């Protein structure tokens, strides 16, 4: 039996220990937010956080994550209460077809939450393992820049609200 | 209340950002089988025998072959030449022969190892050279799927007036669409109706193809688009094939069948951009005026006709670039090879021919001794210009404007001088270059295409006072849903948030044509706007005049306009019932409008003369780059682009289209290299088919120019394909400026620059670093 913490909940898995983590998340735990793009660790669509670090869930057998803490896109905000990063993606046009978005968000979330810089070149570097074919990336970079800044504002002043930003 | 021109939140955005949007692989079907495809391993031959390993548990499997197809074994498109499953003849590697299904996906794949096909191999035609040599005839009589000719003025007389005649040959390769969600569908039979759900651009294309294959009436088929993870043309025609396969297995097994390709199968078996050769012969005066253009285009269609004739048509019609020339001849053809059929990919033939047309200006510039910017300014389309097909450009001609805006914003002229100086310094570790290109792109179907399509779209007004958009045009990331809602909201004068867009489901929406050809906003958006104005007129009769309507007003009007659903309520003027005629839900009144050609548009398919497109969008890109003198790697500093799209309904989404198209064109120009061997893509993986990453894609500076088009909703023209056309020739021109080398062939990989460099006389001039 393999025990994992998934999005803050204790979960156990009893099947084939070399089942890919992405399949366990989607098929056994019903977390369909994590997407498969290439199945070989190139596109990053399946990125989840393992103990806070972005990892391609298509490359990891589930036995390798025994005892770890896993976060998927479902751990972020919901449509009525998006988190600072999801909001920024929405406002800045960071998601088009949306298939790369869950993985993109998880890599970016590790950066934003970890207090990463708002320098576009640093953000490009950290997201380089996530492919997107729609956006040409710039709107994603803009979104992460905004999220880094907004999160810093919230940490400095927890009462500040970024709810009512006007779209231009 | 105005939403057009504003960046309203995209409708489906929150679902996508929370991992809740459902793509086809996210649907669960009870008792589902997984379907997989047994494909040919040879490029050309005859099937002699199919055998199944006798010690394999075939009783667990449902297998479908060509013999199970109820109707004709054909994927209906332009010509009915492509079989759904090959049964005698093999015309390309990866051609589907058999379908296998099992409740466990891994077991379905495992079975493919236990099927053997004995072939009688025939000599294969793998390249355009081999096809045109006619040693093997794949498509009688001459291996040519389609030919076109455009003729204007007298080309010979034009060359006689020329002071310079400049010739050039250009080659462009395959390109893989590389949407991040692979092709996938699910099929099941429900109350005698075949239902297919999946990732697709054109539900009614699938409807038409399956109607033929299964020999069923319209209403016995229902095609539903699920959230689609990118298309770029790669999900225009191919879903017909995979939907046919899944439906055939579903029909045979009586169970739902899911077919989702893995990346390797998707890349190796499905369509790609047509490779092409383009030859230019151009006559110019010493002042730089074009007097003759002679252009030859040859495209590789692959094994079956599929969409090649229309790809060729668009390529042919854009081959001259956006310039006026009195004497033009363009001849073009697309030929058959034993490779998987090439198909739709953003730009649809135009990126190929425009690459040649635009890079050719650098050659002309060298011959004439003027710079290519000056030459473009002299010849560019203006209002009143006449195109090669004799079309007079009456309105919305932003070519000069995008050219000047991009030149100014990028400081093209001063940076070009600066870089020329930089390149003289032998101690520098790189060469730097500035390159420019200018293109046009016709919006909507070519020629009479929109008339033949006779698209229908509109709105429904429900008895609860809700306004719904009815169209089969799909959201594939580009923003269809949000843009349609904006057009309806502003045409009616209600908030954007109130408008609902019905999912593309042939059981629910009329056939608004395919989601292709930069037509969704301009053509379908235009129909929806007209329908909305009909609704508005009727609402005005029931609601008193006010500056804006409240939801109560709309409910009140709905009570008057729509009788309660007692028995057989007359739900009038939906002029024809939509698709499968399975309207569900609350009573509503529909306003459906059919496309009508603006009367000033005239086109003759036989002579290829007239108004090839209703209107064109225009784009100019300036590329600022450097080439490393040691590794020959190209690093793009920045791309500046100005694009005239008539009106940006949603500026952020329009910018997203421009940036995404630009990035794909960066891949086309520098990285994306489909390696074919014996007709099969050798690098059918994201590991070695390289698309641009965050690090490869440069920062972009974008200006949207709005020269409104009178027949477009709020003045809008097309934006989807235009950005794909312009960066590649600008990159090649910038590499030419940087290195002095001619590389008329994509992709411009470092090894290609290296090779050209070391075979060029420049080496002798000491341009190698350190010499």
């Amino acid at each position: 039996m393999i025990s994992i913490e998934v999005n803050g909940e204790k979960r156990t898995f009893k099947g084939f220990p070399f089942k890919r983590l992405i399949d366990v998340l989607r098929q056994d735990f019903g977390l369909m937010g994590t997407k498969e793009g290439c199945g070989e660790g190139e596109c990053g669509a399946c990125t989840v956080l393992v103990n806070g670090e972005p990892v391609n869930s298509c490359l990891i057998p589930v036995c390798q994550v025994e005892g770890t803490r896993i976060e998927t896109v479902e751990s972020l905000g919901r449509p009525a209460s998006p988190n600072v990063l999801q909001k920024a993606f929405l406002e800045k046009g960071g998601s088009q077809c949306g298939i790369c978005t869950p993985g993109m968000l998880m890599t970016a979330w590790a950066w934003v939450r970890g207090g990463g810089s708002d320098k576009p070149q640093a953000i490009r570097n950290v997201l380089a393992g996530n492919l997107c074919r729609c956006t040409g990336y710039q709107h994603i970079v803009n979104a992460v820049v905004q999220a880094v800044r907004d999160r810093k504002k919230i940490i400095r002043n927890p009462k500040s609200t970024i709810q009512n930003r006007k779209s231009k | 209340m105005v939403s057009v021109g504003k960046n309203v939140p995209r409708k489906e955005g929150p679902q996508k950002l929370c991992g809740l949007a459902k793509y086809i692989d996210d649907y669960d079907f009870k008792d589902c089988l997984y379907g997989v495809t047994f494909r040919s391993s040879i490029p050309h031959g005859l099937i002699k025998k199919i055998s199944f390993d006798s010690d394999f548990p075939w009783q667990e499997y449902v297998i479908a072959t060509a013999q199970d197809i109820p109707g004709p074994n054909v994927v209906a498109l332009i010509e009915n030449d492509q079989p759904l499953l090959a049964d005698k003849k093999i015309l390309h590697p990866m051609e589907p022969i058999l379908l296998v299904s099992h409740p466990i996906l891994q077991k379905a794949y495992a079975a493919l190892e236990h099927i053997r096909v004995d072939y009688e191999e025939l000599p294969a035609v793998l390249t355009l050279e081999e096809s045109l040599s006619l040693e093997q005839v794949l498509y009688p009589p001459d291996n040519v799927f389609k030919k076109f000719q455009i003729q204007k003025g007298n080309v010979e007389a034009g060359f006689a007036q020329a002071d310079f005649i400049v010739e050039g040959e250009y080659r462009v390769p395959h390109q893989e669409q590389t949407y991040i969600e692979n092709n996938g569908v699910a099929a099941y039979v429900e109350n005698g109706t075949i239902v297919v759900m999946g990732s697709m651009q054109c539900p009614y294309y699938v409807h038409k193809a399956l109607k033929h294959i299964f020999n069923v009436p319209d209403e016995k088929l229902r095609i539903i688009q699920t959230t689609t993870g990118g298309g770029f043309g790669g999900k225009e025609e191919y879903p017909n094939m995979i939907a046919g396969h899944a439906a055939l297995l579903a029909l045979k097994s009586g169970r739902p069948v899911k077919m989702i390709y893995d990346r390797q199968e998707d890349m190796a078996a499905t369509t790609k951009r047509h490779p092409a050769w383009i030859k230019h012969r151009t006559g110019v005066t010493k002042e730089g005026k074009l007097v003759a253009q002679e252009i030859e285009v040859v495209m590789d269609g692959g094994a079956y006709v599929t969409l090649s004739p229309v790809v060729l048509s668009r390529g042919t019609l854009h081959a001259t670039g956006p310039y006026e020339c009195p004497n033009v001849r363009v001849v073009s053809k697309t030929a058959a090879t034993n490779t998987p059929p090439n198909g739709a990919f953003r730009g649809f033939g135009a990126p190929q021919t425009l690459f040649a047309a635009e890079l050719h200006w650098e050659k002309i510039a060298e011959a004439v001794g003027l710079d290519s910017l000056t030459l473009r300014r002299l010849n560019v389309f203006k209002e009143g210009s006449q195109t090669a097909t004799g079309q007079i450009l009456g309105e919305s001609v932003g070519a000069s404007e995008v050219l000047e805006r991009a030149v100014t914003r990028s400081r093209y002229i001063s940076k070009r001088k600066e870089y020329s100086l930089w390149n003289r310094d032998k101690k520098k570790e790189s060469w730097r270059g500035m390159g420019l290109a200018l293109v046009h792109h016709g919006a909507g179907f070519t020629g009479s295409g929109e008339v033949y399509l006779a698209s229908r779209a509109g709105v429904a007004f429900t008895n609860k006072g809700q306004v719904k958009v009815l169209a089969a045009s799909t959201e594939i990331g580009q923003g269809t849903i949000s843009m349609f809602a904006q057009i309806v909201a502003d045409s009616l004068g209600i908030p954007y948030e109130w408008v609902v867009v019905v999912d593309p489901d042939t059981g629910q929406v009329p056939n608004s044509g395919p989601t292709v050809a930069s037509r969704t906003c301009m053509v379908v958006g235009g129909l929806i706007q007209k329908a909305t104005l009909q609704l508005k007129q009727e609402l005005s009769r029931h609601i008193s005049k006010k500056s804006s309507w409240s939801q109560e007003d709309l409910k009140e009007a709905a009570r008057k306009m729509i009788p309660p659903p007692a028995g057989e309520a007359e739900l009038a003027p939906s002029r024809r019932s939509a698709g499968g005629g399975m309207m569900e839900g609350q009573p509503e009144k529909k306003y459906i409008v059919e496309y009508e050609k603006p009367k000033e548009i005239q086109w003759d398919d036989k002579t290829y003369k007239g108004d090839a497109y209703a209107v064109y969008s225009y784009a100019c890109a300036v590329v600022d780059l450097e080439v490393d003198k040691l590794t020959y790697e190209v690093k793009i500093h920045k791309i500046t682009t100005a694009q005239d799209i008539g009106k940006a309904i949603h500026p952020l989404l329009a910018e997203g289209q421009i940036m995404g198209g630009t990035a794909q064109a960066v891949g086309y120009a520098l990285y994306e290299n489909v390696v074919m061997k014996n007709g099969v893509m050798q690098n059918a993986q994201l590991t070695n088919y390289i698309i641009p990453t965050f690090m490869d894609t440069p920062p972009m500076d974008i200006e949207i120019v709005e020269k409104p088009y009178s027949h477009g909703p709020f003045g809008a023209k097309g934006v989807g394909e235009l950005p794909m056309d312009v960066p590649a020739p600008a990159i090649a021109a910038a590499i030419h400026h940087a290195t002095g080398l001619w590389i008329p062939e994509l992709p411009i990989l470092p090894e290609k620059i290296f090779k050209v460099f070391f075979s060029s006389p420049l080496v002798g001039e000491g341009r190698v670093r350190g010499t």
Side-chain angles (χ1 to χ4, degrees):
Chain A
M1 191 175 78
I2 291 158
S3 308
I4 332 170
E5 185 190 309
V6 181
N7 299 338
E9 236 177 275
K10 294 260 179 270
R11 305 294 284 258
T12 55
F13 172 75
K14 287 180 190 157
F16 181 55
F18 285 92
K19 192 165 182 177
R20 304 183 307 169
L21 176 58
I22 184 174
D23 296 332
V24 174
L25 291 170
R26 288 175 56 90
Q27 296 163 10
D28 298 273
F29 300 160
L31 296 168
M32 304 305 261
T34 303
K35 308 300 180 194
E36 178 166 348
C38 69
E40 56 177 12
E42 286 293 333
C43 76
C46 65
T47 305
V48 299
L49 303 184
V50 177
N51 290 339
E53 291 290 325
V55 160
N56 288 317
S57 65
C58 75
L59 290 185
I60 299 205
V62 64
C63 60
Q64 212 177 318
V65 293
E66 153 76 28
T68 64
R69 188 165 43 80
I70 290 174
E71 292 162 89
T72 69
V73 69
E74 287 87 353
S75 70
L76 307 179
R78 308 317 289 157
S81 54
N83 81 3
V84 68
L85 180 66
Q86 291 166 307
K87 251 175 99 64
F89 264 66
L90 204 54
E91 288 173 7
K92 295 289 181 183
S95 176
Q96 289 189 18
C97 84
I99 193 81
C100 76
T101 303
M104 195 70 76
L105 285 169
M106 295 321 287
T107 308
W109 183 233
W111 178 255
V112 172
R113 186 173 61 184
S117 131
D118 64 355
K119 293 214 166 44
Q121 200 51 36
I123 291 167
R124 282 179 184 268
N125 193 31
V126 95
L127 291 174
N130 289 75
L131 295 177
C132 168
R133 191 61 155 170
C134 292
T135 60
Y137 301 109
Q138 190 156 317
H139 281 163
I140 299 178
V141 175
N142 296 348
V144 179
V145 168
Q146 177 179 310
V148 166
R149 291 178 186 165
D150 283 349
R151 188 168 156 86
K152 284 186 180 148
K153 266 183 233 160
I154 294 170
I155 291 170
R156 269 200 306 273
N157 177 12
K159 280 184 196 151
S160 80
T161 170
I162 52 159
Q163 296 297 317
N164 298 316
R165 190 197 317 275
K166 290 225 169 74
S167 56
K168 75 170 176 192
Chain B
M1 192 107 94
V2 173
S3 70
V4 168
K6 288 201 176 139
N7 295 328
V8 291
R10 65 187 300 157
K11 290 250 174 204
E12 85 293 8
Q15 296 292 310
K16 284 179 173 169
L17 284 158
C18 296
L20 296 170
K22 284 182 92 172
Y23 300 81
I24 187 61
D25 203 19
D26 302 335
Y27 284 86
D28 217 2
F29 298 93
K30 201 168 174 279
D31 296 327
C32 179
L33 300 178
Y34 292 92
V36 296
T37 313
F38 183 88
R39 297 177 181 278
S40 62
S41 56
I42 62 162
H44 191 199
L46 302 170
I47 297 174
K48 286 285 139 197
K49 193 176 150 217
I50 301 177
S51 38
F52 296 83
D53 286 356
S54 56
D55 54 353
F56 195 74
W58 292 111
Q59 70 282 0
E60 293 175 20
Y61 290 82
V62 177
I63 294 171
T65 69
Q67 280 65 51
D68 294 306
I69 300 169
N73 181 11
V74 145
V75 184
L77 206 60
I78 294 173
E79 300 286 337
N80 293 339
D81 65 330
Q82 185 179 25
L84 183 69
L85 291 169
D87 59 347
K88 290 180 197 79
K89 205 167 54 173
I90 296 296
L91 278 182
H92 66 85
M94 304 299 287
E95 187 160 7
I97 298 172
L98 280 175
L99 306 167
V100 176
S101 61
H102 192 278
I104 298 166
L105 177 64
Q106 287 78 358
K107 288 200 173 184
Y109 277 122
L112 298 180
E113 307 296 317
H114 298 273
I115 301 170
R116 261 193 325 279
V117 175
D118 297 331
Y119 304 99
E120 180 188 327
E121 277 204 62
L122 296 168
V125 175
L126 299 171
T127 63
L128 275 175
E129 285 92 338
E130 287 170 13
S131 178
L132 299 176
S133 77
L134 288 184
E135 275 170 36
Q136 282 285 312
V137 177
L138 305 178
Y139 193 81
D142 55 1
N143 280 343
V144 171
F145 287 142
K146 190 75 187 177
K147 282 182 191 173
F148 291 109
Q149 175 156 353
I150 297 173
Q151 186 85 43
K152 178 190 180 189
N154 181 331
V155 178
E156 283 67 31
F159 280 119
Q161 295 164 28
D163 296 307
F164 302 94
I165 295 176
V166 186
E167 295 185 16
E169 276 191 54
Y170 305 86
R171 283 187 181 223
V172 284
H174 285 103
Q175 187 186 17
E176 164 58 35
Q177 292 88 354
T178 329
Y179 28 69
I180 304 294
E181 181 204 30
N182 293 323
N183 267 288
V185 299
Y188 54 92
V189 182
E190 189 177 60
N191 305 325
T193 297
I194 301 170
V195 183
V196 177
M197 297 171 67
S199 185
M200 63 182 76
Q201 293 175 227
C202 313
Y204 274 97
Y205 271 9
V206 176
H207 194 272
K208 179 186 163 191
L210 266 56
K211 194 180 151 178
H212 210 67
I213 292 163
F214 296 102
N215 202 10
V216 289
D218 279 352
E219 64 276 11
K220 290 291 176 195
L221 268 175
R222 182 175 177 186
I223 315 298
I224 304 165
Q225 185 230 6
T226 51
T227 307
T228 296
F232 317 115
K235 293 169 186 169
E236 175 172 347
E237 75 273 33
Y238 199 84
N240 298 1
M241 175 73 81
I242 185 172
H245 289 166
L248 187 63
L249 281 169
L251 214 60
K252 186 155 182 193
S253 66
R255 293 166 67 169
V257 173
K258 228 179 175 182
M259 286 188 94
I260 315 264
Y261 288 170
D262 67 14
R263 180 60 62 182
Q264 187 138 16
E265 182 171 21
D266 193 295
M267 291 181 103
T270 75
T271 58
K272 292 182 183 42
R273 185 185 299 290
H274 289 68
W277 306 342
I278 301 108
K279 283 188 197 169
H280 275 256
R281 186 163 176 260
T282 312
V284 267
T285 65
K286 56 182 184 296
E287 293 78 26
K289 268 287 194 191
L290 279 177
V291 286
Q293 281 179 300
E294 194 175 19
I295 303 166
E296 189 189 341
V297 180
V298 185
M299 289 189 183
D300 178 350
Y304 293 104
V305 175
T306 63
L307 292 172
S308 287
V310 272
V311 171
L312 183 71
S313 162
R314 191 174 275 270
T316 306
L317 289 163
H318 287 78
T320 60
Y323 309 97
E324 190 169 27
C325 179
N327 308 295
V328 182
R329 181 161 58 227
V330 186
V331 292
S332 65
K333 61 185 162 197
T334 178
T337 57
N338 292 120
T339 61
N342 295 309
F345 189 165
R346 194 178 207 165
F348 210 70
Q352 290 95 314
T353 58
L354 283 165
F355 170 74
E358 283 304 293
L359 189 55
H360 194 57
W361 277 114
E362 300 306 318
K363 255 197 150 168
I364 299 170
E366 273 192 353
V368 180
L370 290 167
D371 66 278
S372 69
L373 173 60
T374 306
L375 292 171
R376 285 186 173 92
R377 282 173 171 159
L378 273 170
N379 295 287
V380 67
F381 282 160
K382 296 172 189 67
E383 262 176 41
S385 290
Q386 193 192 39
T387 70
T389 61
Q391 177 171 7
I392 306 291
L393 300 171
E395 59 168 325
S396 188
V397 187
S400 288
E401 205 163 328
V402 297
L403 177 64
E404 299 308 332
R405 291 306 305 148
V407 164
T408 306
R409 274 183 96 99
S410 62
R411 301 193 294 118
Y412 173 77
I413 296 168
S414 62
K415 285 198 104 173
R416 216 171 139 92
K417 281 186 194 142
E418 185 191 310
Y419 285 180
S420 294
L421 282 174
W422 168 285
N423 291 335
R424 274 184 220 147
D425 183 349
K426 294 201 179 88
K427 287 199 276 307
K428 296 278 195 258
E429 296 190 351
S430 65
W431 297 291
R432 290 188 166 180
M434 293 290 282
L436 180 149
L438 174 69
V439 301
H440 61 323
H441 197 100
F445 262 42
T446 299
S448 322
E450 291 295 341
V451 176
Y452 294 132
L453 273 179
S455 299
R456 298 186 312 116
V459 290
F461 187 58
T462 73
N463 65 344
K464 302 273 187 282
Q466 192 175 48
V467 182
K468 299 203 278 192
V469 180
L470 302 175
S473 308
T474 51
E475 169 68 62
I476 52 175
Q478 81 286 46
T480 300
I481 299 175
S482 309
M483 175 267 292
F484 278 170
Q486 285 175 286
I487 289 172
V488 170
D490 283 26
S491 303
L492 207 53
I494 62 171
Y496 163 78
E497 292 74 22
W498 294 3
V499 182
V500 171
V501 180
V502 176
D503 289 337
D505 167 349
T506 60
Q508 302 268 8
V509 297
N511 185 357
S512 61
T515 305
V516 303
S518 309
R519 66 186 293 278
T520 302
C521 180
M522 186 180 98
V523 178
V524 185
L527 298 177
I528 289 170
Q529 184 178 35
K530 271 193 195 166
T532 307
L533 294 176
Q534 290 180 7
L535 166 63
K536 186 178 186 177
Q537 210 169 30
E538 195 166 348
L539 284 172
S540 311
R541 288 202 289 273
H542 297 284
I543 314 176
S544 58
K545 270 214 168 69
K546 289 185 190 176
S547 60
S548 66
W549 289 328
S550 70
Q551 271 174 320
E552 279 314 308
D553 292 333
L554 293 180
K555 280 182 192 162
E556 173 68 27
R559 276 193 289 275
K560 291 179 192 158
M561 286 162 62
I562 302 163
E568 293 289 301
E570 286 273 337
L571 298 180
S574 117
R575 289 174 192 162
R576 270 172 255 166
S577 78
M582 286 176 284
M583 293 304 302
E584 294 162 0
Q586 51 195 341
E588 58 191 21
K589 189 162 174 177
K590 286 195 269 176
Y591 302 81
I592 305 289
V593 171
E594 186 168 313
Y595 176 80
E596 275 175 53
K597 179 174 74 72
K599 57 180 176 305
E600 67 272 22
I601 298 178
Q602 300 296 334
W603 174 253
D604 184 347
D605 258 331
K606 286 194 193 75
T607 58
Y608 249 54
K609 281 197 188 304
D611 302 312
Y613 298 92
V615 72
Y616 299 83
S617 296
Y618 299 88
C620 178
V622 175
V623 173
D624 176 343
L625 57 71
E626 67 185 322
V627 182
D628 188 284
K629 287 185 183 173
L630 195 63
T631 64
Y632 302 93
E633 281 170 295
V634 176
K635 170 88 188 155
I636 302 179
H637 297 149
K638 190 176 175 184
I639 298 183
T640 306
T641 180
Q643 312 217 351
D644 164 29
I645 59 170
K647 169 78 187 172
I649 301 290
H650 191 299
L652 187 70
L653 293 178
E655 222 178 76
Q657 284 298 292
I658 293 170
M659 289 174 168
T662 301
Q664 284 178 342
V666 168
Y668 189 43
L670 295 180
Y671 307 115
E672 298 183 34
N673 190 28
V674 173
V675 180
M676 298 290 278
K677 192 176 162 193
N678 216 16
V680 190
M681 184 177 182
Q682 300 296 298
N683 52 336
Q685 281 171 282
L686 291 179
T687 304
N688 44 15
Y689 181 77
I690 306 300
I691 65 166
T693 69
F694 274 92
M695 299 301 279
D696 307 313
T697 309
M700 300 172 203
D701 178 32
I702 289 170
E703 180 168 330
I704 293 176
V705 172
E706 296 181 326
K707 298 275 263 183
Y709 170 52
S710 59
H711 295 292
F714 301 93
K717 304 189 279 190
V719 62
E721 298 172 289
L722 175 74
M724 178 75 220
D725 296 343
V726 71
I731 290 168
I735 291 171
H736 175 60
H737 180 223
T739 62
L741 302 174
W742 273 109
I743 308 180
E745 191 183 313
L746 299 180
I748 307 178
L749 302 168
E751 50 266 46
K752 202 175 280 174
I753 303 178
F754 173 83
K755 213 169 135 189
V756 175
F757 185 80
F758 277 94
S759 59
S760 91
L762 294 172
V763 176
E765 291 170 20
R767 294 195 67 171
V768 181
R769 187 169 67 151
T771 62

